[in-house]
Amino acid sequence: MDEEKYQDDFRTYKERSCFHYNQRPILKVYVLLGVSFLLIGIYYVVVLSQVATLSTDLSQMDFQFPNQSSDLDLLLFPCGPENREWEYFNGKCYHFSLEKTSWMQAKTQCQGRHSHLVVINNMAEQNFLQTRTRNERYWMGLTDLELEGHWRWVDGSDYRNSFTYWGVGEPNNDNYRTSEDCAHLWGNGAWNDVYCTYLCFYICEKPLPHPRPAN
C-alpha cells in the first residue's frame, strides 16, 4: 500500500516536473515572437517615415520644376514663350507680319496683339529694323492723316524733336491721285510716305513683358 502510494506520488511529481520543464521553451517562443513583432513594427514605422519624407521631397521638386522651366523659356524667349513670333531688341518686342495689308488694317492688327505699329526712336533701332526688312516694305506707326504735313507717331511721341530717317526728298506727297499720308520703310530701310491703302507688310511693337513674380 505504501509502495503504491509512493509510486503514485513519484509519478505525479514527475508529471509536474515535466509540465514546468515543457513550459519554459513555450515561454521563450512567445517572448521571441513578441520581440519579432515589435521589431517588425519599428521597421514599418521607419519605412513609412522615409516614404513620407521622399514624397514631400518629390512634391517640392514638382512644385519648383515649372518655375525653373519658365525661367529657361523666358531666357530663350524674352518676349514670352507663348509669343515666339516676337523678336527681342533692346528692351522691346517686335512682330514682323507675314501678310500684306493697308495701314489702317495693320494698325488694327497690332492693337489686337496688345501693341502698336512700330515707333522708331534712334539709329540703333533703325539698324535693327532695316536688317530685318531688307528688300521689302513695312508699315510703321507714322502718319499725317489728321493734318497734312503734320506727322505724328501713333503712340503720341514727339515727332518734331525726335529721330527721323526719311529717304532723299521724302516725305513728298508725290501722288497725283491720292494723298500719301502714311509712312513705311522702303526696301533699303529709308522712310517713305505712300497712300494708306497701299498693301505692304507691317511691324508691331510692344514693351518687354514684366517678369513673373517668384513663388
Side-chain angles (χ1 to χ4, degrees):
M1 184 73 176
D2 292 338
E3 186 178 351
E4 291 179 358
K5 183 179 180 181
Y6 173 78
Q7 289 178 351
D8 291 338
D9 291 342
F10 179 76
R11 191 180 299 110
T12 302
Y13 173 78
K14 186 177 179 181
E15 290 175 353
R16 289 178 179 177
S17 298
C18 291
F19 176 75
H20 288 296
Y21 179 79
N22 292 332
Q23 272 189 327
R24 292 177 184 176
I26 294 175
L27 181 61
K28 290 181 180 179
V29 170
Y30 283 124
V31 170
L32 290 175
L33 285 174
V35 171
S36 299
F37 282 122
L38 178 61
L39 292 176
I40 291 173
I42 294 174
Y43 172 78
Y44 276 113
V45 169
V46 172
V47 169
L48 290 175
S49 176
Q50 291 179 345
V51 169
T53 302
L54 180 61
S55 177
T56 301
D57 293 341
L58 289 175
S59 297
Q60 291 176 350
M61 290 176 62
D62 291 340
F63 179 76
Q64 294 172 0
F65 181 76
N67 293 335
Q68 295 172 353
S69 178
S70 297
D71 292 342
L72 179 60
D73 284 342
L74 288 175
L75 182 63
L76 296 174
F77 306 100
C79 296
E82 68 282 359
N83 296 315
R84 299 185 183 186
E85 74 273 13
W86 291 81
E87 296 187 27
Y88 171 79
F89 176 75
N90 199 25
K92 296 180 182 179
C93 300
Y94 301 86
H95 170 72
F96 298 85
S97 75
L98 299 178
E99 71 279 357
K100 295 182 178 182
T101 187
S102 66
W103 188 89
M104 289 300 299
Q105 185 62 31
K107 180 182 177 183
T108 301
Q109 290 289 338
C110 289
Q111 290 173 341
R113 291 182 168 88
H114 306 288
S115 60
H116 56 73
L117 282 170
V118 66
V119 174
I120 306 175
N121 299 300
N122 50 59
M123 193 64 205
E125 188 175 19
Q126 171 68 34
N127 287 335
F128 164 73
L129 295 174
Q130 68 185 35
T131 59
R132 289 289 286 102
T133 62
R134 192 173 301 280
N135 301 324
E136 292 291 351
R137 302 187 180 194
Y138 283 77
W139 288 122
M140 50 196 290
L142 185 61
T143 178
D144 68 344
L145 275 169
E146 294 184 3
L147 182 62
E148 181 63 34
H150 291 265
W151 291 90
R152 299 184 57 169
W153 291 107
V154 292
D155 70 344
S157 298
D158 180 15
Y159 169 78
R160 291 180 177 273
N161 300 309
S162 63
F163 171 82
T164 60
Y165 199 72
W166 292 105
V168 177
E170 304 295 341
N172 57 14
N173 203 30
D174 188 22
N175 191 312
Y176 65 92
R177 291 177 298 177
T178 184
S179 297
E180 297 182 336
D181 295 326
C182 296
H184 65 179
L185 286 87
W186 267 349
N188 62 357
W191 304 359
N192 174 57
D193 61 334
V194 69
Y195 56 94
C196 299
T197 54
Y198 181 81
L199 300 181
C200 66
F201 300 106
Y202 59 90
I203 308 170
C204 300
E205 172 191 326
K206 67 179 180 180
L208 190 67
H210 295 295
R212 297 172 183 173
N215 292 328

